[in-house]
Amino acid sequence: MRSRVIPSRIPTIVNTTCINHNTTKTQCPPLFLSGNKGYTNNAIANWSLGIKTCNKSSDSQGLFQISWTPKRNLSSKAFTSNSAGTPPTRRDTNLQHSLHDRTLKQKLRRRLPTVGVVTGFHNDTDHVEAMGLLGYDFLWADAEHSSAGPGSVSKLILAAERRGMPTLVRIGYGYQNIIGHSQKYLVAGAQGIILPQCESAQDVQKIVDAVKFPPIGKRGLAGERWNAWCLGEGGTLADRVNESNQNSIVAVVIESCNGIDALDEILKVKELDFIFVAPTDLSADLGVHGQIRHPSVIQKVEEAGEKIRQAGISAGMLALTPQDYSYWRDRGYNVMSTVAMNMFVDGAQAMMKSIVKYELQGMKRLKQMALKVIASQLTKEETGFLGETFSSIDLNKDGVLSVEELDIAIASGTFSGTLQEKLISLRDDLMITGEKTLAWKDFLADTMMDKKLDFLHEHKIRQAFNHLKKANKSNISISDLNEVFGSEKIAKELLMDADSDGDGEISYEEFRNVLVSDKDGIDAK
């Protein structure tokens, strides 16, 4: 937590006297303020200070007469007391910039766990403040993979600083050759610069020149946000330059095999604070575009991380999921960067999935029941492939599939395409519903819901329809549904979802429409 310096304009107490006992403040320690007397002659305000007890009497309430003298003449509008009688105050404006605080620098130098959030949402500052309130260690303002410029990034920096979170700016590659470009972000208040696509020690040195003042670098000096324009507390300009050189951050991103090959030289640059290994661009360099968990990518990232750690430098890595975080932390990476866009999309997807699941649950119940009926009538020849699949996943041969068994099957790489997607969906459904296992009939019914798995035929739909309705009826009634599902509430929901003409019953055509709905992807043959 960064410290606040008491502003010089806060009024000072010049006189304290206990009204009841004529004693000094030290003899009657005050506990709380009361009264509402306002300002007199724009300069002096008299306040009564209430206390619970005093040295002269344990059962009476002494009062202090307080004289508050502001250090500069203020109008009555500038300092006004409220109805509760609290003394006039102003919000502290001397909150120190991140460069005044060594927390981020120390965490990086000591290779402690440090978590940042990458954002390209340069027109929104609310999410930046939220990230600061949530406890992220730094904001990674992305000026490479976004249209952000110094003007928009400066707003992100202000929002981050407001919540005690320093900002590092990733500039675009090539701009390391233009010190003035990096300096625009530093002038805006960034604590450091991140250079992408670093492939040489010379690249790093150019960023050092941009971030550090002489004699370390070549950064230009003036009154700017980071030094509070030499206003307020913080010492002389020379003091602030020294503080900046000590606490500013220099970081680079390794994104290619050339960069990894140059690590020995890159690691020799003294002012380097951390190296981030970017798996996405590295995957492109290795010819497996976007496959950030491809074995060849993982191998390169692990090799690079080991070399960085051996040099005593903090190593950074991307964490799109909690699993990513734990995997790379276990391998010694300590600077982990999440991505605001991914967190937004993941949350939005999870919400939409829950909404769709809820809204379609009535139709899905009816469909699953019908498919279970159909599944029970399939021959071994028709279910042979799925039967073999179920058996291979059922490792303990107990006739049901657990979440763990589905996880093993998914990770094995044995299945691909449609079936692999279906297994992932089945696993996710179990986790959402809290069910521990999946029985054979449920597995078969759920698998049949994929139109690419060719099991559903017209005569089987008719058999399922006849099974659910009473023999002497032409349609399925609410009493039929109540009897099958054992719940009047569920029966009403099913009827509402399937009864498209509103006649209070489900006809064969309506039943068939539920089963062949594109929402679950079934095509009748």
Side-chain angles (χ1 to χ4, degrees):
M1 181 68 72
R2 301 210 298 277
S3 61
R4 288 180 180 269
V5 178
I6 299 175
S8 59
R9 67 169 178 272
I10 292 296
T12 56
I13 298 176
V14 296
N15 180 42
T16 58
T17 304
C18 181
I19 296 173
N20 289 356
H21 304 110
N22 195 31
T23 54
T24 64
K25 177 182 177 181
T26 55
Q27 291 172 306
C28 293
L31 296 183
F32 61 90
L33 288 167
S34 66
N36 184 11
K37 295 180 182 282
Y39 271 93
T40 304
N41 297 326
N42 296 335
I44 299 175
N46 295 320
W47 289 79
S48 295
L49 189 64
I51 60 172
K52 190 174 183 180
T53 61
C54 67
N55 290 341
K56 295 294 182 179
S57 175
S58 60
D59 59 355
S60 65
Q61 183 174 0
L63 293 175
F64 281 101
Q65 189 71 26
I66 304 299
S67 296
W68 293 79
T69 305
K71 290 193 175 180
R72 59 176 176 145
N73 195 18
L74 297 167
S75 69
S76 58
K77 291 183 179 179
F79 265 141
T80 57
S81 58
N82 61 31
S83 59
T86 53
T89 59
R90 277 192 173 183
R91 184 176 180 273
D92 177 15
T93 60
N94 285 277
L95 174 64
Q96 297 289 355
H97 187 271
S98 296
L99 281 168
H100 181 72
D101 181 73
R102 290 187 56 82
T103 301
L104 181 58
K105 187 78 169 188
Q106 288 177 341
K107 292 186 80 169
L108 292 173
R109 286 301 166 124
R110 294 169 61 189
R111 296 184 56 232
L112 297 175
T114 308
V115 184
V117 56
V118 181
T119 186
F121 296 147
H122 56 87
N123 286 322
D124 176 74
T125 57
D126 289 357
H127 79 286
V128 173
E129 292 197 47
M131 294 299 105
L133 290 169
L134 286 170
Y136 283 86
D137 293 301
F138 68 94
L139 177 72
W140 175 321
D142 198 349
E144 183 194 20
H145 295 297
S146 78
S147 57
S152 53
V153 168
S154 68
K155 297 173 184 176
L156 301 183
I157 293 170
L158 285 171
E161 287 290 327
R162 171 177 167 79
R163 300 302 178 181
M165 181 172 61
T167 301
L168 306 179
V169 178
R170 174 165 62 180
I171 61 174
Y173 183 75
Y175 284 108
Q176 71 270 28
N177 298 314
I178 308 173
I179 289 179
H181 179 77
S182 296
Q183 189 162 336
K184 289 183 182 296
Y185 294 104
L186 298 167
V187 167
Q191 187 170 345
I193 296 294
I194 303 171
L195 174 70
Q197 301 181 45
C198 179
E199 294 188 342
S200 70
Q202 289 75 22
D203 282 342
V204 186
Q205 188 57 54
K206 289 173 180 176
I207 293 301
V208 174
D209 288 343
V211 172
K212 306 293 183 179
F213 294 100
I216 300 173
K218 300 177 181 179
R219 179 176 171 183
L221 178 60
E224 296 163 357
R225 178 171 291 137
W226 66 271
N227 60 29
W229 298 273
C230 299
L231 300 172
E233 303 293 335
T236 66
L237 184 56
D239 293 333
R240 301 178 200 215
V241 167
N242 182 58
E243 190 173 69
S244 176
N245 275 348
Q246 287 180 349
N247 297 339
S248 54
I249 306 298
V250 173
V252 298
V253 185
I254 301 296
E255 310 184 49
S256 66
C257 294
N258 287 341
I260 292 174
D261 293 340
L263 271 175
D264 289 333
E265 292 301 314
I266 289 172
L267 288 164
K268 291 179 183 178
V269 180
K270 182 180 178 182
E271 299 296 333
L272 185 58
D273 291 296
F274 76 88
I275 296 177
F276 187 90
V277 184
T280 309
D281 279 298
L282 186 57
S283 73
D285 196 45
L286 291 169
V288 288
H289 296 72
Q291 300 181 51
I292 63 175
R293 296 176 183 85
H294 190 279
S296 63
V297 177
I298 298 294
Q299 181 181 351
K300 283 290 185 182
V301 174
E302 290 183 352
E303 290 175 0
E306 183 61 29
K307 185 170 287 190
I308 296 167
R309 291 191 299 276
Q310 287 178 358
I313 300 293
S314 283
M317 184 55 184
L318 188 66
L320 298 181
T321 66
Q323 292 74 25
D324 288 342
Y325 183 91
S326 58
Y327 182 90
W328 293 113
R329 282 292 293 123
D330 289 344
R331 284 151 182 80
Y333 277 84
N334 65 292
V335 182
M336 307 303 296
S337 291
T338 60
V339 180
M341 172 62 87
N342 287 76
M343 290 190 284
F344 170 76
V345 170
D346 289 347
Q349 283 182 331
M351 185 65 183
M352 182 53 65
K353 184 173 183 178
S354 298
I355 290 170
V356 172
K357 184 179 181 65
Y358 177 84
E359 294 298 337
L360 296 181
Q361 61 184 347
M363 293 179 67
K364 192 170 182 179
R365 284 195 192 103
L366 182 59
K367 183 179 292 186
Q368 286 179 324
M369 177 57 70
L371 291 174
K372 286 180 183 180
V373 174
I374 294 171
S376 66
Q377 298 172 357
L378 292 175
T379 64
K380 287 186 177 181
E381 290 75 15
E382 289 174 310
T383 62
F385 168 69
L386 289 179
E388 292 173 3
T389 300
F390 184 92
S391 180
S392 66
I393 299 173
D394 183 17
L395 299 178
N396 61 6
K397 306 305 176 187
D398 61 353
V400 295
L401 303 182
S402 65
V403 173
E404 292 75 15
E405 286 173 329
L406 286 168
D407 276 333
I408 292 171
I410 292 165
S412 70
T414 304
F415 309 100
S416 60
T418 300
L419 188 54
Q420 176 79 341
E421 293 173 4
K422 178 57 65 175
L423 295 179
I424 293 172
S425 177
L426 291 174
R427 186 272 314 275
D428 291 345
D429 284 345
L430 284 180
M431 295 180 71
I432 291 172
T433 61
E435 297 289 337
K436 294 182 179 180
T437 59
L438 183 71
W440 158 243
K441 284 188 177 181
D442 294 325
F443 171 81
L444 185 56
D446 277 325
T447 310
M448 288 168 57
M449 291 174 75
D450 196 310
K451 64 182 178 182
K452 295 178 183 178
L453 298 174
D454 192 12
F455 295 102
L456 198 61
H457 298 273
E458 192 72 40
H459 70 280
K460 295 188 181 297
I461 297 177
R462 175 66 70 175
Q463 288 176 345
F465 177 78
N466 292 335
H467 178 83
L468 293 175
K469 72 176 184 66
K470 290 184 169 63
N472 60 341
K473 300 285 185 179
S474 58
N475 296 328
I476 298 174
S477 66
I478 190 170
S479 62
D480 297 331
L481 296 173
N482 193 8
E483 185 176 326
V484 171
F485 291 95
S487 167
E488 185 176 354
K489 179 182 177 182
I490 292 176
K492 288 180 179 180
E493 290 176 355
L494 294 175
L495 185 64
M496 185 181 300
D497 289 332
D499 181 19
S500 58
D501 62 11
D503 65 355
E505 294 183 330
I506 300 174
S507 67
Y508 174 73
E509 285 303 318
E510 290 170 334
F511 178 78
R512 183 183 182 282
N513 287 339
V514 169
L515 263 66
V516 302
S517 168
D518 287 339
K519 292 175 181 177
D520 283 308
I522 297 176
D523 286 329
K525 304 298 182 289

